Amino acid sequence: MVKFDIMVPQECQYLSDWIGFDNELPPGHIILNKSICGCGCTDHFLTNDQPVILLSPRCNLITSKLKNGRTAGKVYYFDRSCGCDLSESIADMENYLCRCGASPFGTQPLAPKIMVTYDSLVHVVDALLKRGLLDQFVIVVDEFTCIFTDVRMKGSTEINLLHRLNTLQNRIVYISATPLNEVYLDLMGEFKDMPYVTLQWDPDRVESVQVFYSKMRSTTSEVSIIIEDYRVNGFFKSKIIDGQQYNSTEAVFFLNSVTDIVSIINKNNLMPSETMVICANEPKNRTALRKVHHAIGVVPNEVEYKSQNKPFTFVTKCAFEGTDFYSDCSTTYVFADSNRDNLCLDISIDLPQIAGRCRSRNNPFRNEIYYFYKDTNLENSMNERQMIQYYDAKRNATIARVQQLQQITDPGILNKLKTAQVIDKYTKDYLDVEDYGSTPCAVCNDVAFIADLRAVEIKMMQYRGSYQMLRCMRNNGFNATHQFSQAEKLYKQFCQEFFADANFQRRMKLYIDTVQCYPELLPVIEEASVIPIEFKQYYRGLGAERIKRSGYVESILRKHLEDASKFSSVNITLDQEKVYSNAEIKSMIQAEYNRLGMNATAKATDITKYVPDAVPTRFRDENGKKQNGYKLK
């Protein structure tokens, strides 16, 4: 990968201020790291004097540009989401091109700007090729990192997009403020030798973002605390600047789970009049929100926001990339859980994107993020080396399978392979179908392989612990500070939830989740006489993981605790002169377990619990057969 740095003129606040910017870029296919969000890169390509096809990973991004004052009415959206006939869509696009002019675009040409989602590019390209106009266009792939982050949702769409673009001779600009690490890009043939251009901005142009981070018990409980505080205080945050008080009366919750959003709406009785949900416009999301009498919202533009913004705005990942939000007073809250794939946010990519979403520079809370997270559960995870070895083996097995399928060209069979992968989402292999050309064929989807490698990096390098996460934030340019939660406030919230529900299992789970997430609360809860003693005894005697494995069921926990107390009564004596086989040891221990009425199965290794001086050994029995066993030191 050949890397270039381009210095942005000091007087330029936006790229559209830079006359001659396009001439600074190398020809052909390039990666453009614009370095910061909100620099007007997309707007530049939609307003310059060149014919442009803008590829977007999100319909919301396109919608925001259709409503933007600089681009509204001047750009065309090749929209296939409405389900109209393909020929009608192409005819609409050709009418737009005619309005721009002819030869190719008239004596007073209006440079055509066509916006299209990744999955519909093929139709635009084919239509322009037929008219002999494709060579005139610059192709801009906006937020191209989504090619990798969306692969599990869109499957072969991403590899077909990359391979199709790779066949074109046009200038193609892959842009993002948060490109993938070049180590991953070098693994892809399409990007390996591509020029990589980084824009270097005047340091005064780069805004500092402060992240206040804290562990959370659950997204629902944390958001509920924030909502409750807002209802009591009348604002989310408050600050005094030059003697004047500013209150934040709007909040944007970046939370990539419609299920959690619905739960929050239900639990806090949020009304549609005070709530906006920005998520993918899909049937399952519409159905889920309809059940709580809400609907999918639309992001207000820079004119509408003063009258259309609401106190609670929930945003899923469909709007993390590229969508502009406007507010004079909104606070930003982000929720991440590395143990849930949909909530495992990448600090190096997702967090900068979120930080750049609010475009109102007069918002005093604009450059602050309140970040709630859960560490990776390392106890139930393979280590980093094991995970990489596993994915390497999966890729090698896929390559071998592709070789076996090389001769298969039957569209019906290949379509079944593709359909199966939509269900499997690359959990078993990386087998996919490339069908952008005249001859479809089975391939190994390396984009999905890279997505798995990135998942290892995120889980093991970013969320392995508080220190790792803090270091990652600072390495990515954030000022990070722990938001110290007040123990009294957290304890109050715990008690409210604990006594609002009489169900033992849910209470026990709440107890475990709370003391694990907020260990500083454990002494407070232990000393609280209002919390029933049995919950404390189960935690002290069995520990969190054993309680979880027992499903929080009281009868099972009671039996485990009884057995645990009986272990101290187990009496095993070994002769100093004798060697005991594993079978003899198990028999002795099981007899004790049975005597004490314990529901436990003996293992030979249990002997070390009761006879500390017992050590494993190998010996020959009276028949000369080798045996494993134990003897005293």
Side-chain angles (χ1 to χ4, degrees), residues 559 562-572 588-600 610:
K559 181 61 178 172
E562 290 172 358
D563 287 349
S565 66
K566 292 174 181 177
F567 276 116
S568 60
S569 302
V570 172
N571 183 21
I572 303 291
M588 294 168 63
I589 297 173
Q590 190 64 58
E592 278 293 284
Y593 289 171
N594 294 343
R595 179 182 69 82
L596 294 168
M598 296 167 56
N599 183 24
Y610 314 115

Side-chain angles (χ1 to χ4, degrees), residues 55-157:
L55 276 69
S56 168
R58 304 280 184 262
C59 293
N60 277 327
L61 187 154
I62 292 177
T63 301
S64 70
K65 296 307 175 186
L66 291 173
K67 298 170 68 174
N68 185 301
R70 286 171 48 80
T71 53
K74 303 172 186 176
V75 296
Y76 172 75
Y77 175 22
F78 187 85
D79 185 4
R80 297 285 296 137
S81 63
C82 58
C84 61
D85 185 84
L86 176 60
S87 61
E88 293 179 15
S89 299
I90 293 174
D92 288 342
M93 182 180 71
E94 290 179 342
N95 289 336
Y96 165 76
L97 293 174
C98 288
R99 292 196 299 274
C100 293
S103 68
F105 305 116
T107 54
Q108 293 183 332
L110 174 65
K113 309 291 181 179
I114 300 172
M115 296 192 297
V116 62
T117 54
Y118 285 0
D119 51 357
S120 294
L121 171 70
V122 60
H123 305 305
V124 172
V125 166
D126 288 346
L128 293 175
L129 274 172
K130 287 181 181 179
R131 290 195 59 176
L133 298 178
L134 182 63
D135 292 344
Q136 307 292 329
F137 283 83
V138 174
I139 299 176
V140 177
V141 186
D142 208 358
E143 303 298 350
F144 83 95
T145 303
C146 292
I147 292 172
F148 299 90
T149 58
D150 290 355
V151 67
R152 286 188 179 86
M153 294 186 296
K154 298 186 177 180
S156 60
T157 295

Side-chain angles (χ1 to χ4, degrees), residues 366-558:
R366 177 173 184 262
N367 290 320
E368 297 175 356
I369 293 176
Y370 292 85
Y371 188 82
F372 298 86
Y373 71 97
K374 280 190 177 181
D375 284 340
T376 298
N377 185 349
L378 295 176
E379 183 173 336
N380 297 327
S381 302
M382 293 185 284
N383 63 41
E384 183 179 356
R385 180 180 58 82
Q386 290 172 324
M387 293 173 77
I388 291 175
Q389 287 177 343
Y390 171 76
Y391 293 131
D392 279 336
K394 189 163 82 167
R395 181 173 182 267
N396 291 335
T398 303
I399 292 172
R401 192 166 299 170
V402 168
Q403 292 174 345
Q404 296 172 346
L405 298 171
Q406 275 184 339
Q407 305 305 316
I408 295 179
T409 57
D410 185 320
I413 296 176
L414 293 174
N415 190 55
K416 285 188 176 181
L417 292 176
K418 185 191 256 187
T419 302
Q421 198 59 278
V422 170
I423 298 171
D424 291 342
K425 297 185 184 301
Y426 308 100
T427 55
K428 299 176 182 176
D429 55 41
Y430 301 116
L431 190 64
D432 218 324
V433 176
E434 182 181 282
D435 54 8
Y436 78 92
S438 57
T439 308
C441 60
V443 295
C444 176
N445 190 331
D446 280 336
V447 177
F449 169 62
I450 291 172
D452 277 341
L453 294 183
R454 285 189 63 253
V456 175
E457 177 189 346
I458 295 169
K459 286 177 178 289
M460 307 307 292
M461 301 303 291
Q462 297 185 18
Y463 289 93
R464 194 166 189 166
S466 296
Y467 174 74
Q468 290 285 93
M469 192 209 61
L470 176 60
R471 185 174 66 173
C472 185
M473 283 188 176
R474 290 179 174 170
N475 287 344
N476 284 278
F478 294 101
N479 296 322
T481 305
H482 190 277
Q483 49 173 323
F484 293 98
S485 302
Q486 296 179 5
E488 183 180 348
K489 178 180 175 181
L490 291 171
Y491 174 68
K492 177 183 176 183
Q493 177 68 21
F494 165 75
C495 287
Q496 285 176 344
E497 294 187 32
F498 187 89
F499 291 109
D501 190 345
N503 180 274
F504 177 88
Q505 284 179 265
R506 290 193 290 270
R507 276 185 164 189
M508 191 74 250
K509 184 178 187 305
L510 175 65
Y511 189 102
I512 296 302
D513 289 348
T514 300
V515 299
Q516 281 199 305
C517 186
Y518 304 114
E520 68 271 23
L521 278 188
L522 181 58
V524 180
I525 294 174
E526 280 280 331
E527 294 175 8
S529 59
V530 295
I531 306 299
I533 186 65
E534 59 265 28
F535 292 90
K536 304 171 188 178
Q537 291 174 333
Y538 289 137
Y539 180 69
R540 294 175 202 154
L542 302 176
E545 295 307 317
R546 193 170 182 188
I547 292 173
K548 290 179 183 179
R549 290 195 296 270
S550 301
Y552 309 97
V553 177
E554 185 174 16
S555 59
I556 298 176
L557 296 179
R558 188 184 303 114

